[in-house]
Structure formats: C-alpha cells, structure tokens
Amino acid sequence: MSPQVYISGKYYDKADAKISVFDHGLLYGDGVFEGIRAYSGRVFRLKEHVERLYESAAAIALAIPMTREQMAAAIDGAIAHNGLKDAYIRVVVTRGSGSLGLDPRKTTDPQVVIITDKISLYPEELYEHGLKIITAATTRNHPNAVNPRIKSLNYLNNILAKMEGVQAGCLEALMLNHKGEVAECTGDNIFLVKHGEIRTPPSDAGILEGITRQAVMDLARDAGYRVVEMTLHRHDVYTAEECFLTGTAAELIPVVECDGRTLGDGVPGPITRNLRQRFQLLVREPGR
Ligand code: PMP
C-alpha cells in the first residue's frame, strides 16, 4: 500500500497529498511543524511534541483547528493507519490559503498534515566513529526576529548553515548566536563534556529546546552525572573532552572534530557512549 498522508481529517495516497499553492505555509513559511519518532509502535514523548507544536503555534498566533488530545490521537492514528512500528512522523500546521499578501487575517483553513515515513538515520559508522562538523558563518536567528524556540516552517536560517556544512564535507554545522556564543547545530542540539561535567547551552542562547536534549539531560542526571546549562563559546568546543549532538532523527551522535580541531581523543568518549546506550534503552522501555 502506498503511504497514506493525513491532511485535515482525511487520508490521501502520497501522490495525491496536496496543499494549495495559495497556502501561506508555502508562500511565506507561515506555519509550524514537529518531527517525532515511534519505536516499536509507541510514539516517543508524544505529549511533549504536541505541547511544543502548540507553543510554536501560540507564538505565531496560529490557532490549530483541533485540541491537543485530538492531535495526539491523529498522530497515533497515522502510525496505525500506515501499519508502522518504527517511524519518523512529520506534523505540519500551515496558516492556510489566502491572498497574495502577508496579512495572516486574510487566510482561511489552516491545514494539519501528518506524514509518516521510515526512519533515515545518519550512517551507522558515524555513531561508532563520530561526526565532523564545522562552524557556519550564518548566525542563528536573533530571538527578537524569528525566535529559534519556534519550530516554524521557515527553516532557511538552518538551511543556509547546512549548505555551509555540506560544502565543507560535513553533515552537520554548528551555529553561533548573535553574541557569538554556541547555540546549536542546524537540526540538533549540542552537548560538551568538560572535567566529567555535561554542558549544553541554555534555552536563551537562541536554540530550539530539543525534546531529545531534555530526555538526555534527565537520563544523564539519573545516571549520576552533573549536567549544566551554561553559555559556551567555540573555545569550549575545541577544548572539550567529548562532544555529542541530540535530535529526534539523530538520537545521540558523537562529534570528534570541529573546524579541523580534534575533540578529546578523536574518538567517541566514554560518557557519550554510556549516554547513547542509555538512550537506546529509554526509547524502547515500555511506559517511558
Ligand atoms: N535544533 C533544531 C534547529 C532542530 O530542528 C531540532 C529538531 N530536528 C533540534 C534542535 C532537536 O530537537 P528534538 O530533540 O526535539 O528533535
């Protein structure tokens, strides 16, 4: 069966899953989205993802035409409908169709789209040997412009940085905020290990507050590590004992090189490996 895409209450074959060219989601990137994972038929941190979706929508004054409970049920339903157990789920809410002007009041019918797909992870050898990243020249969006805490349909800021990474032969790129502090990567949050302590930029550094980031901070604390949210600079990355990234698609992936500097011993460190193992167990644990 061809994958079935949910659009505002109905399912469509992939080829017929279409949105109007007048939708402000397309015309202006006016909308919000989520990337979610299901493991063994269970959606990981569904409530948290739904909450972040509604917070993103609230921040752009977009009224999602269903309740949080209906949204959660629709996401679960889309997995079941497609007969998937392990899946990547993309939820998109657009502003809806309107006239060719910016004014969101001129739009009607916000669209809710749920796409379910097989997961495509980074190649397995990168989890074993670690990623190489570069720092992008593109600054992460200023929080007073498009706040990175909003997971909006306008991802050009991240795409521009990603292009720099690709050009340098890297699959991820580090983004600094307008103050030159470490913010996050184009689609992942960043963590460093220094003196055995786990460090990550705070939410006001201009980052998306990753659901995986929170899950990893919680499980690291449960495992007895000290975890601190603090301002970090590139120097801290270059001199870190260990570095790893977190994200829904990436899970937890080691970084062994940044801007041509070898990080730590140049191989995934013991804390990174330990946390990755714990994360693997967490996502497969019933009732987590
Ligand atoms: N930062 C950005 C910019 C992202 O797009 C994402 C999600 N891909 C993340 C961080 C990680 O967030 P999460 O753990 O919720 O997937």
Side-chain angles (χ1 to χ4, degrees), residues 130-145:
L131 268 181
K132 293 179 181 177
I133 61 172
I134 52 120
T135 307
T138 303
T139 302
R140 189 76 178 99
N141 277 338
H142 193 295
N144 288 343

Side-chain angles (χ1 to χ4, degrees), residues 11-220:
Y11 284 99
Y12 299 86
D13 283 344
K14 192 176 172 181
D16 300 323
K18 291 176 183 159
I19 293 282
S20 166
V21 293
F22 293 99
D23 195 304
H24 282 206
L26 173 71
L27 289 174
Y28 302 116
D30 189 353
V32 294
F33 77 103
E34 273 300 317
I36 313 176
R37 286 279 287 274
Y39 295 89
S40 314
R42 282 191 313 269
V43 180
F44 182 64
R45 302 276 153 109
L46 177 56
K47 202 159 160 271
E48 287 84 346
H49 280 285
V50 169
E51 190 54 37
R52 189 172 67 184
L53 180 72
Y54 279 73
E55 285 187 0
S56 292
I60 65 163
L62 168 59
I64 300 179
M66 56 208 279
T67 64
R68 286 167 169 75
E69 292 71 31
Q70 287 167 334
M71 179 64 76
I75 294 167
D76 271 333
I79 308 272
H81 190 87
N82 281 285
L84 293 167
K85 294 263 172 261
D86 293 299
Y88 180 81
I89 306 144
R90 172 62 53 88
V91 182
V92 177
V93 185
T94 73
R95 183 77 70 179
S97 295
S99 54
L100 295 180
L102 297 180
D103 192 343
R105 292 171 308 177
K106 306 251 165 72
T107 59
T108 52
D109 296 337
Q111 298 293 306
V112 177
V113 177
I114 305 174
I115 304 168
T116 52
D117 204 350
K118 302 233 161 60
I119 311 142
S120 79
L121 282 174
Y122 286 119
E124 184 54 36
E125 66 261 24
L126 292 178
Y127 289 91
E128 272 157 44
H129 302 301
L131 268 181
K132 293 179 181 177
I133 61 172
I134 52 120
T135 307
T138 303
T139 302
R140 189 76 178 99
N141 277 338
H142 193 295
N144 288 343
V146 181
N147 196 327
R149 290 169 81 168
I150 304 169
K151 203 162 167 61
S152 89
L153 288 184
N154 193 321
Y155 246 52
L156 264 183
N157 181 225
N158 312 56
I159 291 167
L160 293 176
K162 175 91 179 180
M163 281 162 54
E164 292 183 55
V166 170
Q167 222 159 18
C170 297
L171 292 178
E172 252 299 13
L174 176 63
M175 300 184 78
L176 308 179
N177 66 18
H178 61 287
K179 293 188 264 182
E181 300 158 354
V182 171
E184 60 180 339
C185 287
T186 68
D188 299 299
N189 292 113
I190 186 164
F191 286 78
L192 304 177
V193 177
K194 185 76 176 183
H195 306 312
E197 183 178 274
I198 298 168
R199 300 175 174 177
T200 195
S203 53
D204 63 7
I207 62 168
L208 181 76
E209 288 169 285
I211 306 241
T212 321
R213 172 182 179 271
Q214 188 61 53
V216 167
M217 288 199 292
D218 291 344
L219 72 77

